[in-house]
């Protein structure tokens, strides 16, 4: 019987690529989204998957969203915590709102969503939780103290929950993408983009499908011996120690 996967932020960018790949690999897929109705409906129509709207930074929204998915598809076997936002600013100009928005959506969401599925995974002695971090959570980035802190926190969360869950057949891993050719990057001025690409040894931006391939591998049943790991997918731009 096909396993069920839920991908937060799963209707655009990297999340959409993950949803596509998991559907192609035979999963029953649900994709979460926050507000872009057009993209969500397009995703649902194109892939034939369930979509669920909600704010991953709000615990009660996550309770409702997971229940909706499980009512339609059954217990969640694979959770991909992909949803994220940026609110870039130098710290001396950053507002509390910019800080809190990013921490809640990018980090608190990992708890909010994982908490909904972890008990069921433990009861069934099976689960895959895959958290999307970032190269900037590994090396830091000027103008992103909020984002870098959140994405570094994702890695710490991953390592801790992996230890808690290993004996129950649950793996918990992170994927840390580098700079990926998505809608977000298209807004970067060309001169800045050229500098970014110049710093990537493979000489190009990554593709969303390449991140999806990393997630798909970690979601497999035969990836059971890999847990607490962070897969860096950044074209050689940064090697975590």
């Amino acid at each position: 019987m096909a396993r069920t996967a839920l991908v937060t932020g799963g209707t655009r960018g990297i999340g959409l690529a993950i949803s596509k790949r998991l559907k192609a690999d035979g999963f029953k897929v649900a994709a979460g989204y926050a507000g872009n109705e057009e993209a969500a409906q397009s995703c649902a129509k194109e892939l034939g998957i369930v979509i669920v709207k909600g704010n991953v930074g709000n615990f009660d929204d996550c309770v409702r969203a997971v229940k909706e998915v499980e009512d339609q598809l059954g217990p969640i076997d694979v959770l991909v915590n992909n949803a994220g936002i940026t609110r870039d600013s130098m710290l001396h100009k950053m507002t509390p709102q910019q800080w809190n928005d990013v921490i809640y959506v990018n980090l608190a969401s990992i708890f909010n969503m994982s908490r909904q599925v972890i008990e069921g995974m433990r009861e069934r002695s099976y689960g895959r939780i895959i958290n999307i971090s970032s190269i900037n959570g590994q090396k830091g980035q000027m103008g992103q103290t909020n984002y870098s802190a959140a994405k570094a926190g994702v890695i710490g969360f991953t390592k801790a929950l992996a230890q808690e869950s290993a004996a129950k057949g649950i793996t918990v891993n992170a994927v840390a993408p580098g700079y990926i050719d998505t809608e977000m990057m298209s807004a970067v001025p060309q001169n800045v983009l050229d500098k970014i690409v110049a710093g990537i040894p493979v000489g190009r931006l990554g593709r969303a499908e390449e991140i999806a391939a990393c997630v798909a591998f970690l979601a497999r049943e035969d990836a059971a011996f890999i847990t607490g790991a962070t897969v860096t997918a950044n074209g050689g731009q940064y090697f975590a120690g």
Side-chain angles (χ1 to χ4, degrees):
M1 186 172 67
R3 294 195 180 277
T4 298
L6 170 57
V7 183
T8 69
T11 63
R12 299 168 63 196
I14 291 173
L16 176 59
I18 294 169
S19 296
K20 285 182 179 179
R21 177 59 187 266
L22 293 179
K23 178 66 185 290
D25 286 355
F27 287 90
K28 295 182 291 182
V29 178
Y33 71 104
N36 191 319
E37 293 288 346
E38 183 179 354
Q41 294 300 329
S42 175
C43 173
K45 183 177 180 180
E46 176 188 354
L47 302 183
I49 65 175
V50 170
I51 55 172
V52 58
K53 185 176 182 178
N55 174 13
V56 291
N58 180 286
F59 187 84
D60 291 338
D61 250 19
C62 295
V63 173
R64 174 193 53 76
V66 168
K67 185 177 187 306
E68 284 185 22
V69 172
E70 293 191 330
D71 285 348
Q72 294 183 69
L73 301 180
I76 293 167
D77 303 296
V78 177
L79 171 65
V80 183
N81 286 309
N82 168 73
I85 61 171
T86 57
R87 297 288 185 269
D88 294 353
S89 173
M90 299 292 278
L91 184 66
H92 64 278
K93 297 180 179 179
M94 186 175 291
T95 67
Q97 190 71 48
Q98 288 173 311
W99 174 269
N100 289 332
D101 285 350
V102 169
I103 294 300
Y104 272 94
V105 173
N106 294 24
L107 180 57
S109 64
I110 308 298
F111 166 78
N112 292 344
M113 291 299 300
S114 299
R115 185 64 182 84
Q116 310 313 317
V117 303
I118 194 67
E119 289 187 72
M121 288 180 175
R122 289 175 67 87
E123 289 170 4
R124 298 188 300 276
S125 296
Y126 184 86
R128 300 284 183 266
I129 296 176
I130 303 158
N131 302 318
I132 306 302
S133 181
S134 168
I135 186 175
N136 292 340
Q138 296 176 301
K139 72 175 186 62
Q141 177 60 45
M142 184 173 68
Q144 287 194 328
T145 52
N146 49 4
Y147 186 82
S148 295
K151 290 301 189 178
V154 168
I155 293 173
F157 178 100
T158 296
K159 292 178 179 179
L161 186 57
Q163 293 178 58
E164 293 182 12
S165 306
K168 291 293 187 178
I170 303 163
T171 66
V172 188
N173 292 290
V175 176
Y179 290 92
I180 308 301
D181 189 8
T182 61
E183 182 181 336
M184 185 181 296
M185 288 301 298
S186 68
V188 175
Q190 188 61 47
N191 64 319
V192 176
L193 187 60
D194 290 343
K195 291 179 181 178
I196 291 171
V197 172
I200 302 174
V202 301
R204 63 172 175 85
L205 298 175
R207 296 188 294 271
E209 292 76 15
E210 292 171 315
I211 306 306
C214 296
V215 172
F217 171 71
L218 293 171
R220 290 166 54 128
E221 293 187 19
D222 59 3
F225 202 58
I226 302 171
T227 195
T230 299
V231 177
T232 58
N234 58 43
Q237 187 175 8
Y238 180 78
F239 301 107

